[in-house]
Amino acid sequence: MTDQRLETLIGNLLRAGVLLAAAIVLGGGVLFLLQHGADKAAYHTFAAGGSDTRTLAGIFHSASRLQSEGLIQLGLLLLIATPVARVVLAVAGFALERDRMYVVISTLVLAILVFSLLHAT
Amino acid sequence: MTTLSFTLVVWTVATVAGFLGALTGLGGGVVVVPVLTLALGVDIKYAIGASLVSVIATSSGAAAAYVREGYSNIRIGMLLEIAATIGAILGAYLAGFTSTHIIAIIFGLVLIQSAYQSLRNSAPEADHPTLSDRLGTIFKLGGDYPLGGKRQEYGVQNVPAGFGLMFGAGALSGLLGIGSGAVKVIAMDRAMKIPFKVSTTTSNFMIGVTAAASAGVYLSRGYIDPRVSMPVMLGVLAGAFLGTKVLVRVNVRTLRVVFGSVVLLLAIEMIVNGILGKI
């Protein structure tokens, strides 16, 4: 497979990931509005939500019980995962090209991303 | 305001922002954050969290289109991402310790830079060297891109300067929840002498990865709130999609002037409100 075709494949995969994420967010959003649409909107002062919306385990748990906010966060998590997947695929691509320098460089970027996501555990 | 009407208003604003952001190449975040905070009174922490996820959505969503054009350079993007992601994590940490007034003022200053870039006449293509300097050669950064039916080779210069600027771009991205595409393009196009088309498309790839580096910190702090992020993400995505469809049919020059002026007004309001302590 040529570089260009591999890149096109990756690009299409990313777009599919974004569309799936948007569909999950939309589903959770519709559910949320059906349940809370008439509530008063209050976003003037910041207050961090519970672990259901802030940690990976909390989000998976909440989404598995089909709670609207958990579903929205699950969609957003999938979205956040798309650039991470892009870097993983780059590591694999450079490994196939036997480009050691860039396997190391892209693995380093991946490690930094994983370090950041560990905050949400 | 009820949650339903809030959601619909935010969705509409985000759609317009995503549409204009795609047409002008400035991204949706630069409009969404000020409108949410200034017009709707949303806390800036919710606004930058929602903006960050929409930045990822537009970057990943557009990847396929950019690949097709054959300009982006993954090696350049990946090497510079080391600096940008570290900067982003640092910026995201700082956002937690920085008062919202200061964040608003810095945001305003970045908006002024965006407005300037949108309003000024497009600069003539600088002279691009075809050979890389020592570091550019060591890191195999040079490449080629399509130009007039042929492949035009280009070299890469001043890698340390570009690396440093990318760290700054990442820090701004983490602090403000934006893509910092403008700073990224400056780092590649001006400092590293990379052709403009290669710089902008590589920047699109980088924006998503940089934003993902802040996302873990944002998520754990609760900045990515489902109630605010949902309409912003869906709106920006829909707007950006529409924007790429009509791109060929509008006068981009006029649009950039209008958009630049709006961004400039928002910038002044952000700074004034930040200084007065209203944000």
Side-chain angles (χ1 to χ4, degrees):
Chain A
M1 195 180 306
T2 63
D3 262 22
Q4 179 77 14
R5 283 188 55 195
L6 186 68
E7 287 288 319
T8 308
L9 184 72
I10 292 171
N12 288 333
L13 274 174
L14 290 188
R15 192 166 51 191
V18 171
L19 290 177
L20 181 62
I24 297 174
V25 170
L26 182 65
V30 169
L31 195 61
F32 172 74
L33 289 176
L34 287 175
Q35 292 165 345
H36 301 283
D39 296 0
K40 197 174 177 305
Y43 309 107
H44 296 294
T45 33
F46 176 74
S51 65
D52 273 8
T53 57
R54 290 194 293 130
T55 65
L56 301 183
I59 291 170
F60 289 133
H61 181 68
S62 164
S64 70
R65 288 186 296 163
L66 295 180
Q67 286 174 343
S68 59
E69 297 194 8
L71 284 173
I72 295 173
Q73 295 301 77
L74 182 71
L76 297 180
L77 263 189
L78 178 64
L79 185 67
I80 293 166
T82 57
V84 183
R86 179 77 188 80
V87 177
V88 172
L89 291 169
V91 174
F94 287 128
L96 283 176
E97 290 178 22
R98 299 183 192 286
D99 186 338
R100 271 200 215 146
M101 184 198 287
Y102 275 89
V103 169
V104 172
I105 287 170
S106 40
T107 304
L108 188 58
V109 173
L110 185 61
I112 298 168
L113 291 178
V114 171
F115 168 79
S116 166
L117 287 171
L118 286 179
H119 282 87
T121 52
Chain B
M1 198 190 290
T2 66
T3 300
L4 179 64
S5 38
F6 172 84
T7 305
L8 291 177
V9 169
V10 171
W11 184 81
T12 310
V13 168
T15 305
V16 174
F19 181 72
L20 293 175
L23 288 185
T24 54
L26 285 175
V30 292
V31 180
V32 164
V33 174
V35 172
L36 282 182
T37 51
L38 296 170
L40 295 168
V42 174
D43 191 295
I44 197 164
K45 289 179 176 165
Y46 289 135
I48 62 177
S51 168
L52 190 81
V53 292
S54 54
V55 162
I56 298 176
T58 46
S59 168
S60 288
Y66 283 123
V67 170
R68 213 172 302 128
E69 292 174 19
Y71 293 105
S72 60
N73 183 322
I74 300 299
R75 282 194 174 81
I76 295 175
M78 209 50 93
L79 180 67
L80 297 175
E81 266 312 317
I82 296 174
T85 48
I86 293 174
I89 292 179
L90 191 80
Y93 270 121
L94 282 178
F97 305 109
T98 312
S99 85
T100 51
H101 318 312
I102 304 288
I103 293 180
I105 293 168
I106 298 174
F107 206 108
L109 295 174
V110 171
L111 286 179
I112 288 180
Q113 151 69 20
S114 296
Y116 168 75
Q117 204 146 331
S118 187
L119 288 172
R120 98 197 148 109
N121 283 315
S122 45
E125 274 280 297
D127 197 23
H128 294 293
T130 50
L131 292 173
S132 297
D133 64 7
R134 204 175 64 87
L135 276 175
T137 310
I138 291 175
F139 285 108
K140 298 177 281 190
L141 295 178
D144 55 51
Y145 68 104
L147 184 74
K150 284 185 300 192
R151 303 294 299 185
Q152 170 71 41
E153 291 199 359
Y154 60 90
V156 175
Q157 316 265 327
N158 306 327
V159 178
F163 206 75
L165 278 168
M166 279 303 166
F167 177 80
L172 277 181
S173 170
L175 184 64
L176 306 176
I178 57 172
S180 284
V183 183
K184 289 188 168 97
V185 171
I186 288 172
M188 288 186 272
D189 175 51
R190 311 270 179 78
M192 301 172 74
K193 312 277 183 211
I194 299 165
F196 189 69
K197 272 281 187 182
V198 179
S199 300
T200 50
T201 49
T202 305
S203 162
N204 175 71
F205 155 69
M206 294 184 65
I207 283 169
V209 179
T210 312
S214 312
V217 180
Y218 272 43
L219 196 64
S220 68
R221 289 234 189 85
Y223 294 0
I224 301 177
D225 188 284
R227 304 163 301 169
V228 183
S229 304
M230 175 257 294
V232 170
M233 179 263 198
L234 292 175
V236 168
L237 202 56
F241 179 74
L242 284 176
T244 52
K245 291 285 162 207
V246 301
L247 190 52
V248 280
R249 270 178 277 156
V250 292
N251 184 345
V252 175
R253 184 79 207 110
T254 320
L255 196 87
R256 285 177 83 92
V257 172
V258 174
F259 191 66
S261 312
V262 172
V263 170
L264 191 62
L265 285 176
L266 291 172
I268 294 165
E269 239 189 305
M270 283 295 270
I271 294 171
V272 169
N273 278 280
I275 292 171
L276 295 177
K278 285 186 189 162
I279 291 180

